[in-house]
Amino acid sequence: MPRYEYRCRTCGDTFELSRPMAESAAPAACPAGHDDTVKLLSTVAVGGSASAPSPAPRAAGGGGGCCGGGCCG
């Protein structure tokens, strides 16, 4: 179930709720009981490291072009 982040406009508290996607736009009360809240846009962090991709191998005798010379006559 996705987690959504909200901020209370009354007390300034930021909190998260787990709820179905179908309820993502439904109002959410803050833990202090205030109803004036807004859903925040969240960023997704993905761990790990990335390296530059290696170039694709070329076919022997290819003529270049958009498709390596196979269909561009």
Side-chain angles (χ1 to χ4, degrees):
M1 192 171 325
R3 295 182 62 83
Y4 298 97
E5 189 174 19
Y6 298 86
R7 185 177 54 84
C8 177
R9 291 181 180 172
T10 304
C11 66
D13 189 23
T14 301
F15 59 97
E16 293 182 349
L17 290 177
S18 293
R19 52 178 27 178
M21 290 178 72
E23 296 176 15
S24 67
C30 87
H34 305 120
D35 291 326
D36 190 12
T37 60
V38 291
K39 186 169 77 167
L40 303 176
L41 294 176
S42 300
T43 57
V44 177
V46 178
S49 62
S51 60
S54 54
R58 292 189 152 195
C66 67
C67 55
C71 63
C72 300

Short mmCIF file of all heavy atoms in Angstrom, two decimals:
data_model
loop_
_atom_site.label_atom_id
_atom_site.label_comp_id
_atom_site.label_asym_id
_atom_site.label_seq_id
_atom_site.Cartn_x
_atom_site.Cartn_y
_atom_site.Cartn_z
N MET A 1 0.85 -1.16 0.00
CA MET A 1 0.00 0.00 0.00
C MET A 1 0.90 1.24 0.00
O MET A 1 1.83 1.33 0.79
CB MET A 1 -0.89 -0.03 1.24
CG MET A 1 -1.98 0.99 1.17
SD MET A 1 -3.27 0.90 2.44
CE MET A 1 -3.50 -0.80 2.75
N PRO A 2 0.63 2.20 -0.88
CA PRO A 2 1.48 3.39 -0.95
C PRO A 2 1.35 4.28 0.29
O PRO A 2 0.31 4.29 0.95
CB PRO A 2 0.98 4.13 -2.20
CG PRO A 2 -0.19 3.41 -2.70
CD PRO A 2 -0.39 2.18 -1.90
N ARG A 3 2.42 5.02 0.55
CA ARG A 3 2.43 5.98 1.65
C ARG A 3 2.39 7.38 1.07
O ARG A 3 3.09 7.68 0.11
CB ARG A 3 3.69 5.81 2.51
CG ARG A 3 3.72 4.46 3.21
CD ARG A 3 4.93 4.32 4.10
NE ARG A 3 5.02 5.27 5.18
CZ ARG A 3 4.39 5.15 6.35
NH1 ARG A 3 3.60 4.13 6.56
NH2 ARG A 3 4.54 6.05 7.28
N TYR A 4 1.56 8.22 1.64
CA TYR A 4 1.40 9.59 1.19
C TYR A 4 1.80 10.53 2.32
O TYR A 4 1.52 10.26 3.49
CB TYR A 4 -0.04 9.85 0.76
CG TYR A 4 -0.47 9.00 -0.40
CD1 TYR A 4 -1.17 7.82 -0.21
CD2 TYR A 4 -0.14 9.36 -1.70
CE1 TYR A 4 -1.55 7.03 -1.28
CE2 TYR A 4 -0.51 8.57 -2.79
CZ TYR A 4 -1.22 7.41 -2.56
OH TYR A 4 -1.58 6.62 -3.62
N GLU A 5 2.44 11.63 1.97
CA GLU A 5 2.90 12.60 2.96
C GLU A 5 1.98 13.81 2.93
O GLU A 5 1.63 14.31 1.85
CB GLU A 5 4.34 13.00 2.65
CG GLU A 5 4.98 13.82 3.73
CD GLU A 5 6.46 14.07 3.45
OE1 GLU A 5 6.88 13.93 2.29
OE2 GLU A 5 7.16 14.43 4.39
N TYR A 6 1.61 14.29 4.10
CA TYR A 6 0.71 15.42 4.24
C TYR A 6 1.33 16.45 5.19
O TYR A 6 2.17 16.11 6.01
CB TYR A 6 -0.64 14.98 4.83
CG TYR A 6 -1.38 14.01 3.96
CD1 TYR A 6 -1.14 12.64 4.04
CD2 TYR A 6 -2.33 14.44 3.05
CE1 TYR A 6 -1.81 11.74 3.24
CE2 TYR A 6 -3.02 13.54 2.24
CZ TYR A 6 -2.76 12.20 2.34
OH TYR A 6 -3.42 11.31 1.55
N ARG A 7 0.87 17.69 5.06
CA ARG A 7 1.28 18.75 5.98
C ARG A 7 0.03 19.44 6.48
O ARG A 7 -0.87 19.78 5.72
CB ARG A 7 2.19 19.78 5.31
CG ARG A 7 2.73 20.83 6.30
CD ARG A 7 3.68 21.82 5.65
NE ARG A 7 3.13 22.47 4.49
CZ ARG A 7 2.34 23.55 4.52
NH1 ARG A 7 2.01 24.08 5.66
NH2 ARG A 7 1.90 24.09 3.39
N CYS A 8 -0.01 19.68 7.79
CA CYS A 8 -1.13 20.37 8.42
C CYS A 8 -0.89 21.87 8.32
O CYS A 8 0.16 22.35 8.74
CB CYS A 8 -1.28 19.94 9.88
SG CYS A 8 -2.60 20.82 10.74
N ARG A 9 -1.85 22.60 7.77
CA ARG A 9 -1.71 24.06 7.66
C ARG A 9 -1.94 24.75 9.00
O ARG A 9 -1.49 25.86 9.20
CB ARG A 9 -2.71 24.60 6.64
CG ARG A 9 -2.40 24.19 5.23
CD ARG A 9 -3.43 24.77 4.29
NE ARG A 9 -3.14 24.39 2.92
CZ ARG A 9 -3.95 24.63 1.90
NH1 ARG A 9 -5.10 25.24 2.10
NH2 ARG A 9 -3.61 24.26 0.69
N THR A 10 -2.62 24.09 9.93
CA THR A 10 -2.92 24.69 11.23
C THR A 10 -1.71 24.64 12.16
O THR A 10 -1.30 25.67 12.70
CB THR A 10 -4.12 23.97 11.89
OG1 THR A 10 -5.23 24.03 10.99
CG2 THR A 10 -4.49 24.63 13.20
N CYS A 11 -1.10 23.45 12.31
CA CYS A 11 0.01 23.32 13.27
C CYS A 11 1.37 23.14 12.60
O CYS A 11 2.39 23.17 13.26
CB CYS A 11 -0.25 22.16 14.23
SG CYS A 11 -0.27 20.52 13.47
N GLY A 12 1.39 22.94 11.26
CA GLY A 12 2.65 22.79 10.55
C GLY A 12 3.26 21.40 10.61
O GLY A 12 4.33 21.17 10.07
N ASP A 13 2.59 20.46 11.26
CA ASP A 13 3.10 19.09 11.37
C ASP A 13 3.08 18.40 10.01
O ASP A 13 2.18 18.60 9.21
CB ASP A 13 2.24 18.32 12.37
CG ASP A 13 2.81 16.96 12.73
OD1 ASP A 13 4.04 16.77 12.58
OD2 ASP A 13 2.04 16.08 13.15
N THR A 14 4.10 17.60 9.74
CA THR A 14 4.16 16.78 8.54
C THR A 14 4.00 15.33 8.98
O THR A 14 4.64 14.89 9.93
CB THR A 14 5.50 16.97 7.80
OG1 THR A 14 5.62 18.34 7.46
CG2 THR A 14 5.57 16.14 6.54
N PHE A 15 3.14 14.58 8.27
CA PHE A 15 2.88 13.20 8.66
C PHE A 15 2.62 12.37 7.42
O PHE A 15 2.40 12.89 6.33
CB PHE A 15 1.68 13.13 9.62
CG PHE A 15 0.40 13.68 9.06
CD1 PHE A 15 -0.55 12.83 8.50
CD2 PHE A 15 0.13 15.04 9.07
CE1 PHE A 15 -1.73 13.33 7.98
CE2 PHE A 15 -1.05 15.55 8.55
CZ PHE A 15 -1.98 14.69 8.00
N GLU A 16 2.69 11.04 7.58
CA GLU A 16 2.47 10.10 6.47
C GLU A 16 1.30 9.19 6.79
O GLU A 16 1.06 8.87 7.96
CB GLU A 16 3.72 9.24 6.25
CG GLU A 16 4.91 10.00 5.73
CD GLU A 16 6.10 9.09 5.47
OE1 GLU A 16 6.08 7.91 5.88
OE2 GLU A 16 7.06 9.57 4.86
N LEU A 17 0.60 8.79 5.73
CA LEU A 17 -0.49 7.83 5.86
C LEU A 17 -0.32 6.76 4.79
O LEU A 17 0.00 7.07 3.65
CB LEU A 17 -1.84 8.51 5.65
CG LEU A 17 -2.35 9.46 6.71
CD1 LEU A 17 -3.67 10.08 6.27
CD2 LEU A 17 -2.54 8.74 8.03
N SER A 18 -0.57 5.51 5.16
CA SER A 18 -0.64 4.42 4.19
C SER A 18 -2.11 4.26 3.84
O SER A 18 -2.95 4.07 4.73
CB SER A 18 -0.11 3.12 4.79
OG SER A 18 1.25 3.22 5.03
N ARG A 19 -2.40 4.37 2.55
CA ARG A 19 -3.78 4.22 2.12
C ARG A 19 -3.80 3.76 0.68
O ARG A 19 -2.84 3.96 -0.06
CB ARG A 19 -4.57 5.51 2.30
CG ARG A 19 -3.92 6.70 1.69
CD ARG A 19 -4.67 8.02 1.78
NE ARG A 19 -5.56 8.22 2.87
CZ ARG A 19 -6.25 9.33 3.08
NH1 ARG A 19 -6.11 10.33 2.28
NH2 ARG A 19 -7.06 9.44 4.09
N PRO A 20 -4.90 3.14 0.24
CA PRO A 20 -5.00 2.70 -1.15
C PRO A 20 -4.94 3.89 -2.11
O PRO A 20 -5.32 5.01 -1.77
CB PRO A 20 -6.38 2.04 -1.23
CG PRO A 20 -6.79 1.80 0.18
CD PRO A 20 -6.08 2.79 1.02
N MET A 21 -4.47 3.64 -3.33
CA MET A 21 -4.37 4.70 -4.32
C MET A 21 -5.73 5.34 -4.59
O MET A 21 -5.81 6.53 -4.87
CB MET A 21 -3.77 4.17 -5.62
CG MET A 21 -2.29 3.83 -5.49
SD MET A 21 -1.60 3.16 -7.00
CE MET A 21 -1.55 4.61 -8.02
N ALA A 22 -6.80 4.57 -4.51
CA ALA A 22 -8.13 5.10 -4.76
C ALA A 22 -8.52 6.16 -3.73
O ALA A 22 -9.40 6.98 -3.98
CB ALA A 22 -9.15 3.96 -4.73
N GLU A 23 -7.86 6.17 -2.57
CA GLU A 23 -8.15 7.14 -1.52
C GLU A 23 -7.08 8.23 -1.42
O GLU A 23 -7.07 9.00 -0.47
CB GLU A 23 -8.28 6.43 -0.17
CG GLU A 23 -9.43 5.46 -0.10
CD GLU A 23 -9.47 4.71 1.22
OE1 GLU A 23 -8.79 5.12 2.18
OE2 GLU A 23 -10.17 3.69 1.29
N SER A 24 -6.19 8.32 -2.40
CA SER A 24 -5.08 9.26 -2.30
C SER A 24 -5.53 10.71 -2.27
O SER A 24 -4.87 11.56 -1.67
CB SER A 24 -4.10 9.06 -3.46
OG SER A 24 -4.70 9.41 -4.69
N ALA A 25 -6.66 11.04 -2.87
CA ALA A 25 -7.14 12.42 -2.89
C ALA A 25 -8.12 12.71 -1.75
O ALA A 25 -8.56 13.85 -1.60
CB ALA A 25 -7.80 12.71 -4.23
N ALA A 26 -8.45 11.71 -0.95
CA ALA A 26 -9.40 11.91 0.15
C ALA A 26 -8.76 12.80 1.22
O ALA A 26 -7.55 12.78 1.42
CB ALA A 26 -9.78 10.56 0.74
N PRO A 27 -9.57 13.59 1.93
CA PRO A 27 -9.04 14.43 3.00
C PRO A 27 -8.38 13.59 4.09
O PRO A 27 -8.76 12.45 4.33
CB PRO A 27 -10.27 15.14 3.56
CG PRO A 27 -11.34 14.97 2.52
CD PRO A 27 -11.01 13.73 1.76
N ALA A 28 -7.37 14.17 4.72
CA ALA A 28 -6.66 13.48 5.80
C ALA A 28 -6.51 14.43 6.98
O ALA A 28 -6.03 15.54 6.81
CB ALA A 28 -5.29 13.03 5.32
N ALA A 29 -6.94 14.00 8.15
CA ALA A 29 -6.78 14.80 9.36
C ALA A 29 -5.39 14.56 9.93
O ALA A 29 -4.87 13.45 9.88
CB ALA A 29 -7.85 14.44 10.38
N CYS A 30 -4.77 15.60 10.48
CA CYS A 30 -3.44 15.44 11.08
C CYS A 30 -3.58 14.70 12.41
O CYS A 30 -4.67 14.62 12.98
CB CYS A 30 -2.74 16.79 11.22
SG CYS A 30 -3.10 17.71 12.71
N PRO A 31 -2.48 14.18 12.94
CA PRO A 31 -2.54 13.44 14.21
C PRO A 31 -3.08 14.28 15.37
O PRO A 31 -3.63 13.75 16.32
CB PRO A 31 -1.08 13.04 14.46
CG PRO A 31 -0.47 12.99 13.10
CD PRO A 31 -1.15 14.07 12.32
N ALA A 32 -2.97 15.62 15.28
CA ALA A 32 -3.50 16.49 16.34
C ALA A 32 -4.99 16.76 16.15
O ALA A 32 -5.60 17.46 16.97
CB ALA A 32 -2.72 17.80 16.36
N GLY A 33 -5.59 16.25 15.05
CA GLY A 33 -7.02 16.38 14.84
C GLY A 33 -7.45 17.53 13.95
O GLY A 33 -8.63 17.74 13.74
N HIS A 34 -6.50 18.27 13.38
CA HIS A 34 -6.85 19.36 12.48
C HIS A 34 -7.23 18.82 11.10
O HIS A 34 -6.66 17.85 10.65
CB HIS A 34 -5.68 20.35 12.35
CG HIS A 34 -5.20 20.87 13.66
ND1 HIS A 34 -3.91 20.67 14.10
CD2 HIS A 34 -5.84 21.56 14.64
CE1 HIS A 34 -3.77 21.23 15.28
NE2 HIS A 34 -4.92 21.78 15.64
N ASP A 35 -8.17 19.49 10.45
CA ASP A 35 -8.63 19.02 9.15
C ASP A 35 -8.02 19.78 7.97
O ASP A 35 -8.17 19.35 6.83
CB ASP A 35 -10.16 19.15 9.06
CG ASP A 35 -10.87 18.18 9.97
OD1 ASP A 35 -10.34 17.06 10.17
OD2 ASP A 35 -11.94 18.53 10.49
N ASP A 36 -7.35 20.89 8.21
CA ASP A 36 -6.79 21.71 7.12
C ASP A 36 -5.41 21.17 6.73
O ASP A 36 -4.38 21.66 7.18
CB ASP A 36 -6.72 23.17 7.55
CG ASP A 36 -6.37 24.09 6.39
OD1 ASP A 36 -6.42 23.65 5.23
OD2 ASP A 36 -6.04 25.26 6.66
N THR A 37 -5.38 20.14 5.89
CA THR A 37 -4.12 19.51 5.48
C THR A 37 -4.00 19.51 3.97
O THR A 37 -5.00 19.62 3.25
CB THR A 37 -4.04 18.06 5.98
OG1 THR A 37 -5.11 17.31 5.44
CG2 THR A 37 -4.08 17.99 7.51
N VAL A 38 -2.77 19.40 3.50
CA VAL A 38 -2.49 19.30 2.06
C VAL A 38 -1.57 18.11 1.82
O VAL A 38 -0.70 17.81 2.64
CB VAL A 38 -1.84 20.58 1.49
CG1 VAL A 38 -2.82 21.73 1.49
CG2 VAL A 38 -0.58 20.95 2.23
N LYS A 39 -1.79 17.43 0.69
CA LYS A 39 -0.92 16.32 0.32
C LYS A 39 0.32 16.90 -0.34
O LYS A 39 0.23 17.77 -1.21
CB LYS A 39 -1.64 15.36 -0.64
CG LYS A 39 -0.84 14.11 -0.94
CD LYS A 39 -1.65 13.07 -1.66
CE LYS A 39 -1.81 13.44 -3.09
NZ LYS A 39 -2.31 12.35 -3.93
N LEU A 40 1.48 16.43 0.07
CA LEU A 40 2.75 16.91 -0.47
C LEU A 40 3.21 16.03 -1.63
O LEU A 40 2.89 14.85 -1.68
CB LEU A 40 3.82 16.91 0.63
CG LEU A 40 3.50 17.73 1.87
CD1 LEU A 40 4.60 17.57 2.91
CD2 LEU A 40 3.32 19.20 1.52
N LEU A 41 3.97 16.62 -2.52
CA LEU A 41 4.59 15.85 -3.59
C LEU A 41 5.84 15.21 -3.02
O LEU A 41 6.68 15.89 -2.44
CB LEU A 41 4.96 16.75 -4.76
CG LEU A 41 3.80 17.39 -5.49
CD1 LEU A 41 4.31 18.33 -6.56
CD2 LEU A 41 2.92 16.33 -6.11
N SER A 42 5.96 13.92 -3.17
CA SER A 42 7.10 13.20 -2.61
C SER A 42 8.07 12.83 -3.72
O SER A 42 7.70 12.63 -4.86
CB SER A 42 6.63 11.93 -1.92
OG SER A 42 5.76 12.24 -0.87
N THR A 43 9.33 12.75 -3.34
CA THR A 43 10.35 12.27 -4.27
C THR A 43 10.70 10.85 -3.90
O THR A 43 10.60 10.45 -2.75
CB THR A 43 11.61 13.14 -4.23
OG1 THR A 43 12.11 13.15 -2.89
CG2 THR A 43 11.31 14.56 -4.66
N VAL A 44 11.13 10.09 -4.87
CA VAL A 44 11.51 8.71 -4.64
C VAL A 44 13.02 8.62 -4.70
O VAL A 44 13.64 9.09 -5.65
CB VAL A 44 10.87 7.79 -5.71
CG1 VAL A 44 11.32 6.36 -5.51
CG2 VAL A 44 9.37 7.89 -5.67
N ALA A 45 13.61 8.03 -3.68
CA ALA A 45 15.05 7.84 -3.65
C ALA A 45 15.36 6.39 -3.93
O ALA A 45 14.76 5.49 -3.35
CB ALA A 45 15.61 8.24 -2.29
N VAL A 46 16.27 6.15 -4.83
CA VAL A 46 16.68 4.80 -5.17
C VAL A 46 18.16 4.68 -4.86
O VAL A 46 18.96 5.49 -5.32
CB VAL A 46 16.40 4.50 -6.66
CG1 VAL A 46 16.87 3.10 -7.02
CG2 VAL A 46 14.93 4.68 -6.98
N GLY A 47 18.52 3.69 -4.08
CA GLY A 47 19.91 3.50 -3.72
C GLY A 47 20.69 2.77 -4.79
O GLY A 47 20.14 2.28 -5.76
N GLY A 48 21.98 2.72 -4.61
CA GLY A 48 22.83 2.01 -5.57
C GLY A 48 23.73 2.98 -6.31
O GLY A 48 23.74 4.17 -6.06
N SER A 49 24.48 2.45 -7.22
CA SER A 49 25.36 3.31 -8.01
C SER A 49 25.13 2.99 -9.48
O SER A 49 24.73 1.90 -9.85
CB SER A 49 26.82 3.08 -7.65
OG SER A 49 27.19 1.75 -7.94
N ALA A 50 25.40 3.96 -10.28
CA ALA A 50 25.21 3.78 -11.72
C ALA A 50 26.54 3.99 -12.41
O ALA A 50 27.37 4.78 -11.98
CB ALA A 50 24.18 4.77 -12.25
N SER A 51 26.75 3.28 -13.46
CA SER A 51 27.93 3.48 -14.27
C SER A 51 27.48 3.74 -15.70
O SER A 51 26.36 3.42 -16.08
CB SER A 51 28.85 2.25 -14.21
OG SER A 51 28.17 1.12 -14.70
N ALA A 52 28.35 4.31 -16.47
CA ALA A 52 28.00 4.62 -17.86
C ALA A 52 27.78 3.31 -18.61
O ALA A 52 28.53 2.35 -18.46
CB ALA A 52 29.11 5.42 -18.51
N PRO A 53 26.72 3.24 -19.41
CA PRO A 53 26.48 2.01 -20.16
C PRO A 53 27.55 1.82 -21.23
O PRO A 53 28.07 2.78 -21.79
CB PRO A 53 25.11 2.25 -20.80
CG PRO A 53 24.95 3.73 -20.83
CD PRO A 53 25.73 4.27 -19.66
N SER A 54 27.87 0.58 -21.49
CA SER A 54 28.85 0.30 -22.53
C SER A 54 28.16 0.38 -23.88
O SER A 54 26.98 0.05 -24.00
CB SER A 54 29.48 -1.08 -22.32
OG SER A 54 28.47 -2.06 -22.23
N PRO A 55 28.87 0.81 -24.91
CA PRO A 55 28.24 0.94 -26.22
C PRO A 55 27.83 -0.43 -26.77
O PRO A 55 28.44 -1.45 -26.48
CB PRO A 55 29.32 1.57 -27.09
CG PRO A 55 30.60 1.40 -26.35
CD PRO A 55 30.26 1.21 -24.91
N ALA A 56 26.76 -0.43 -27.55
CA ALA A 56 26.26 -1.67 -28.13
C ALA A 56 27.25 -2.16 -29.18
O ALA A 56 27.85 -1.38 -29.91
CB ALA A 56 24.90 -1.42 -28.77
N PRO A 57 27.44 -3.47 -29.25
CA PRO A 57 28.36 -4.01 -30.26
C PRO A 57 27.81 -3.78 -31.67
O PRO A 57 26.61 -3.82 -31.88
CB PRO A 57 28.44 -5.50 -29.93
CG PRO A 57 27.23 -5.79 -29.11
CD PRO A 57 26.85 -4.51 -28.42
N ARG A 58 28.69 -3.53 -32.61
CA ARG A 58 28.28 -3.31 -34.00
C ARG A 58 28.40 -4.61 -34.78
O ARG A 58 29.31 -5.40 -34.56
CB ARG A 58 29.18 -2.28 -34.66
CG ARG A 58 28.98 -0.91 -34.09
CD ARG A 58 29.73 0.08 -34.91
NE ARG A 58 29.04 1.35 -34.80
CZ ARG A 58 29.24 2.35 -35.59
NH1 ARG A 58 30.12 2.25 -36.58
NH2 ARG A 58 28.60 3.48 -35.44
N ALA A 59 27.48 -4.78 -35.70
CA ALA A 59 27.53 -5.96 -36.56
C ALA A 59 28.66 -5.78 -37.57
O ALA A 59 28.92 -4.68 -38.05
CB ALA A 59 26.20 -6.12 -37.29
N ALA A 60 29.31 -6.89 -37.90
CA ALA A 60 30.40 -6.84 -38.86
C ALA A 60 29.86 -6.41 -40.23
O ALA A 60 28.85 -6.93 -40.70
CB ALA A 60 31.07 -8.20 -38.97
N GLY A 61 30.51 -5.46 -40.86
CA GLY A 61 30.14 -5.04 -42.20
C GLY A 61 28.91 -4.15 -42.24
O GLY A 61 28.36 -3.93 -43.30
N GLY A 62 28.45 -3.65 -41.09
CA GLY A 62 27.27 -2.80 -41.08
C GLY A 62 27.53 -1.49 -41.80
O GLY A 62 28.62 -0.96 -41.79
N GLY A 63 26.51 -0.97 -42.42
CA GLY A 63 26.66 0.25 -43.18
C GLY A 63 26.25 1.50 -42.42
O GLY A 63 26.24 2.57 -42.97
N GLY A 64 25.89 1.36 -41.15
CA GLY A 64 25.47 2.53 -40.38
C GLY A 64 24.03 2.88 -40.66
O GLY A 64 23.21 2.03 -40.97
N GLY A 65 23.73 4.14 -40.61
CA GLY A 65 22.35 4.56 -40.85
C GLY A 65 21.49 4.32 -39.64
O GLY A 65 21.96 3.98 -38.56
N CYS A 66 20.21 4.45 -39.82
CA CYS A 66 19.29 4.35 -38.69
C CYS A 66 19.15 2.95 -38.14
O CYS A 66 18.76 2.77 -37.00
CB CYS A 66 17.92 4.90 -39.08
SG CYS A 66 17.10 3.89 -40.34
N CYS A 67 19.42 1.95 -38.95
CA CYS A 67 19.20 0.58 -38.48
C CYS A 67 20.39 -0.33 -38.76
O CYS A 67 20.22 -1.53 -38.93
CB CYS A 67 17.92 0.02 -39.09
SG CYS A 67 17.91 0.10 -40.89
N GLY A 68 21.55 0.21 -38.87
CA GLY A 68 22.73 -0.62 -39.07
C GLY A 68 22.89 -1.11 -40.49
O GLY A 68 23.72 -1.97 -40.75
N GLY A 69 22.11 -0.62 -41.41
CA GLY A 69 22.27 -1.00 -42.80
C GLY A 69 21.45 -2.19 -43.25
O GLY A 69 21.45 -2.57 -44.39
N GLY A 70 20.70 -2.80 -42.30
CA GLY A 70 19.96 -4.00 -42.65
C GLY A 70 18.71 -3.75 -43.48
O GLY A 70 18.38 -4.54 -44.34
N CYS A 71 18.03 -2.64 -43.24
CA CYS A 71 16.77 -2.42 -43.96
C CYS A 71 16.75 -1.10 -44.70
O CYS A 71 15.75 -0.74 -45.30
CB CYS A 71 15.59 -2.50 -43.00
SG CYS A 71 15.61 -1.23 -41.73
N CYS A 72 17.82 -0.37 -44.66
CA CYS A 72 17.86 0.95 -45.31
C CYS A 72 18.65 0.80 -46.60
O CYS A 72 19.82 1.10 -46.68
CB CYS A 72 18.53 1.98 -44.42
SG CYS A 72 17.68 2.19 -42.84
N GLY A 73 18.06 0.38 -47.60
CA GLY A 73 18.70 0.00 -48.79
C GLY A 73 19.40 0.96 -49.60
O GLY A 73 20.01 0.91 -50.53
#
